[in-house]
Every structure is written in C-alpha cells, then in structure tokens.
Amino acid sequence: SLPLASLAQTSQDEKSTPTAPPHAQKHEEVTCKLIRGADAAGSKDVVECGGRTFTLSHPRVKEAEEVTFGSTEWLFYFSCCLCCIISAALAAGLTMGLVSLEEFNLDLLLEMRPEELTTEEERTALVQDQGCARAVKPLLSGHFFAQQDSCVPHAVDPTNHHYLLVTLLVVNAMANEALPVFLDNLVPAWAAVLISVSFVLVFGEIIPSAIFTGPNQLSIAAKFAGCVK
C-alpha cells in the first residue's frame, strides 16, 4: 500500500493534467464498400465498414418489372403489343388506300351504267365496284360539321377528306408510340426499341401499304369504311 502523502500527490497530479478537447482527438479513417444486390434475391444492398457488415433496411428499386413468361401479366402485355401492331398496320394501310382515292373517279364510276357493258362478268364487277364506291364516298366528300347541322362557320370546317387523314395519322402515331412501352415489360430496353422499329416498319408500314393499294384497293377500303366512321 502507498502512503497517504503519495496518494494525495498522485491525485493532485491527475487533476492538474489538462484534458485534450474533443475536437483535438484523432479519428481513425474507415473505408466503406457498398455492395448492391448482395442477398440471395438480389434486391438488398450491403455496406462493409472496417470488417463490419450492415444490411440496408430498404429494398433496392428495380429498373424494370420482370414478367414471367406465360403468366397473366405476360399475356396482357403481349396482347397489347399485338393490338398496337395491328392498329398501326390498319392506320398506315388505310392512309394509303383511302386518301389516295379521288372523289372525281368515284363519281365517274357511279355514273356508269351496267347496260353499257357487253359481258355479264363486267356488269357484275361494275355493280360491286359501285357498291364499294357508295360506301367510301362519304369519307372523302362533304364537310363533317355541315352534315351535322352545326353552327360552325364553313371557313373553319375542313372537308371529310382532311378529317380522315388526321384521324388515321393520330391512330398510327399512338400505336407506334405505345408499342415500346408494352415491349419494355417483356424484353430489355434495347430489344424493345429494336423490335418495335423493325415490326412497325415491316408489318406496320410496308406490307399494309402494299396490300391496301393493290388491285383490290376499292373493295378493301369499303370493308373498313364502317370502322373508320
């Protein structure tokens, strides 16, 4: 045991020794590492600091929702993609098939008489073409608001031919823009852009335009006249 005088001296020395302020104390630098998708599901992030591991409580947000092949969601998105392609094809084909028809040529066709033809096949074909012309002509002639007994001035009332062109272009643009959105849920982003461009170009532009402007242009346009109205 130490004498009482020595204990008193030691206590006095401890009290007289100044304590370093908190801000003057040295801190050790620790390097932390962020690991994304470290768990089994690949949805959580882990941080490693100085040999210790911390798991973030919030799940990592996925860039795109993964849809299982053959599931209900997959069938829904696939059906939407088909609808977009079919709508784009019809709009592009009808734009070429209907807008390219001349109202003057339809009037000449309607003025022809079957009695003026020599063979029965020509008469039958003329009657069929005249029926198709009657179905198509309202889409190309006249003014829309004028037929509805509206108070819209004639100067701001475009023809039905103009309304037809605008309607088909709007439908075509909507289908082309919506297709990559649905494809993004089925395939990666780069594949969605590639597929949408190729499918729209081939099946939504080239093939429909070739079919709707072929030898059966008038009959095909007459079949879709009700849908366009």
Side-chain angles (χ1 to χ4, degrees):
S1 61
L2 295 177
L4 295 177
S6 299
L7 292 176
Q9 183 65 27
T10 303
S11 177
Q12 185 67 23
D13 293 340
E14 291 179 354
K15 291 182 179 179
S16 61
T17 303
T19 304
H23 64 274
Q25 296 178 358
K26 294 183 179 180
H27 298 276
E28 296 182 0
E29 295 183 358
V30 179
T31 303
C32 297
K33 182 179 180 182
L34 175 62
I35 304 176
R36 293 187 176 275
D39 62 335
S43 59
K44 292 185 179 181
D45 300 336
V46 175
V47 179
E48 293 183 354
C49 296
R52 302 181 63 184
T53 303
F54 303 92
T55 302
L56 300 182
S57 58
H58 61 278
R60 182 164 57 91
V61 180
K62 298 181 180 180
E63 295 181 358
E65 184 180 358
E66 299 179 358
V67 179
T68 306
F69 176 80
S71 61
T72 305
E73 292 180 322
W74 189 91
L75 293 176
F76 170 75
Y77 289 122
F78 184 75
S79 301
C80 292
C81 293
L82 288 181
C83 292
C84 290
I85 295 176
I86 294 174
S87 300
L90 290 177
L94 290 173
T95 301
M96 299 295 297
L98 282 175
V99 178
S100 61
L101 294 175
E102 295 291 339
E103 183 180 356
F104 179 74
N105 295 332
L106 295 178
D107 291 336
L108 290 180
L109 181 61
L110 293 175
E111 291 296 331
M112 295 180 62
R113 297 181 179 178
E115 296 80 9
E116 299 175 356
L117 302 178
T118 56
T119 62
E120 185 65 26
E121 295 180 356
E122 293 178 349
R123 297 190 188 97
T124 304
L126 177 60
V127 172
Q128 293 178 355
D129 291 342
Q130 287 180 342
C132 296
R134 293 188 185 94
V136 173
K137 186 179 178 181
L139 299 175
L140 305 175
S141 61
H143 296 264
F144 179 79
F145 288 107
Q147 297 177 356
Q148 304 296 327
D149 296 332
S150 177
C151 60
V152 177
H154 181 72
V156 294
D157 185 13
T159 61
N160 286 341
H161 189 277
H162 179 78
Y163 277 109
L164 173 65
L165 177 61
V166 173
T167 302
L168 295 177
L169 291 178
V170 170
V171 173
N172 190 16
M174 292 175 58
N176 293 337
E177 294 298 329
L179 180 59
V181 177
F182 296 116
L183 279 176
D184 191 42
N185 296 278
L186 303 178
V187 295
W190 63 269
V193 175
L194 184 62
I195 293 174
S196 61
V197 172
S198 60
F199 269 70
V200 168
L201 179 62
V202 176
F203 298 100
E205 296 290 342
I206 298 177
I207 295 179
S209 299
I211 294 176
F212 280 76
T213 57
N216 299 322
Q217 177 181 359
L218 184 59
S219 61
I220 295 176
K223 292 178 181 179
F224 290 94
C227 178
V228 175
K229 289 181 181 180

